[in-house]
Amino acid sequence: MKTREIGNDTVGRERVGAIGLGLMTFDQTGTQPREQLAATVRAAVDAGVRLFDTADAYGPGDELGAKAQGENEQLIAGLLDELGLRSEVFLATKGGHTRTDGGGWDTDSSPEHLRAAVDASLQRLGVDQIALWQHHRPDPKRDYAEVVGTLKEISDSGKVRMVGLSNANPDQIRLAHSVLGPALVSVQNEFSPAFRSSRPEIDVCEELGLAFLPWSPLGGLTSAKGLADKHPAFKAVADDHGVSAQQVALAWELAQSECVIPIPGAKRPQSITDSAAAADLELSPDELAALDAG
Ligand SMILES: NC(=O)c1ccc[n+]([C@@H]2O[C@H](COP(=O)([O-])OP(=O)(O)OC[C@H]3O[C@@H](n4cnc5c(N)ncnc54)[C@H](OP(=O)(O)O)[C@@H]3O)[C@@H](O)[C@H]2O)c1
């Protein structure tokens, strides 16, 4: 698979497959057989996927409520160990969200919570240093500048190698970059054929040398499978190439900028194998223009 880069000379450069794997819905309901999830991890690595994206707040929240915190990190760490694939994967996680009873989500960016979240993720992932630790979402109860100060402290602690932001706007990205310097390597925001308003964040990432990781790059769990029906321009290009509309969507995202690394979710090996092929799908300028308009 074609590769892209995360990092810089100061924190080191990681070459990863241009398509990553989003793990949010891995066992979100607690119903997928472990063998199926293991096969999905294996298929991802076989296809050249290296960036795996989890978060401390991912887990079967409907079932476990607040106790879901940490479930997904534990699951992926266990699967990677069982499969002997730890060293193949650049494992990113996030902190700053919490789960509430009833399957809800809350935010907590207090210094105490973020510090404790890093320590808990280190333990669950079984590592001495987190490869990429992302601040999950701005907390409306906290001033972003104060949160960035906490991220700087966390970065300086050496417990995380690289820092990322998520759901941040251009001003927040610039502020964090001015404080964190080269420790800041990425921004993870929503971007897909159905959600295109993150273009300004992609531009800032390109300017500052940060990776941009589109989340829900196929439109999200409930819409991804219907992408061709919702976006006829993507279906038309897909039919011309004899590939899926999902593959075309990911190739179109990759064409936005060299800094883009989409992280499609998958719970089935076929899904990630198909998505991974997008890295090598070449779209012509005319096709890209049609997709931009469609
Ligand atoms: N930072 C944030 O705030 C935030 C928020 C949301 C998501 N995320 C990240 O983004 C990742 C992806 O988001 P998402 O899972 O919500 O949405 P998504 O990637 O847009 O869609 C996932 C869905 O697409 C299906 N799929 C994947 N590849 C396919 C293909 N090639 N052809 C047909 N269907 C395909 C999957 O099927 P199967 O599951 O059946 O394989 C799943 O149902 C998450 O895992 C998470 O890491 C981050």
Side-chain angles (χ1 to χ4, degrees), residues 21-26 32 36 40 52-55 58 72 92 94 97 105 134-137 165-167 188-192 213-227 244-248 250 253 262-278:
L21 175 64
L23 295 162
M24 183 176 75
T25 55
F26 239 59
Q32 293 115 33
Q36 178 189 323
T40 305
F52 279 41
D53 181 72
T54 180
Y58 293 165
N72 194 278
K94 316 183 196 76
H97 253 309
W105 299 72
Q134 304 155 99
H135 178 243
H136 205 148
R137 186 178 291 276
L165 306 177
S166 182
N167 301 301
Q188 181 180 141
N189 279 16
E190 185 171 11
F191 187 68
S192 69
L213 317 181
W215 65 251
S216 293
L218 302 175
L221 186 61
T222 50
S223 305
K225 293 201 168 66
L227 199 142
S244 68
Q246 287 81 3
Q247 231 181 83
V248 173
L250 296 168
E253 289 163 27
I263 48 167
K267 296 181 293 295
R268 295 172 306 124
Q270 309 90 287
S271 299
I272 191 59
T273 302
D274 184 67
S275 292

Side-chain angles (χ1 to χ4, degrees), residues 155-168:
S155 168
D156 289 345
S157 73
K159 293 177 181 177
V160 313
R161 177 176 163 207
M162 302 183 190
V163 177
L165 306 177
S166 182
N167 301 301

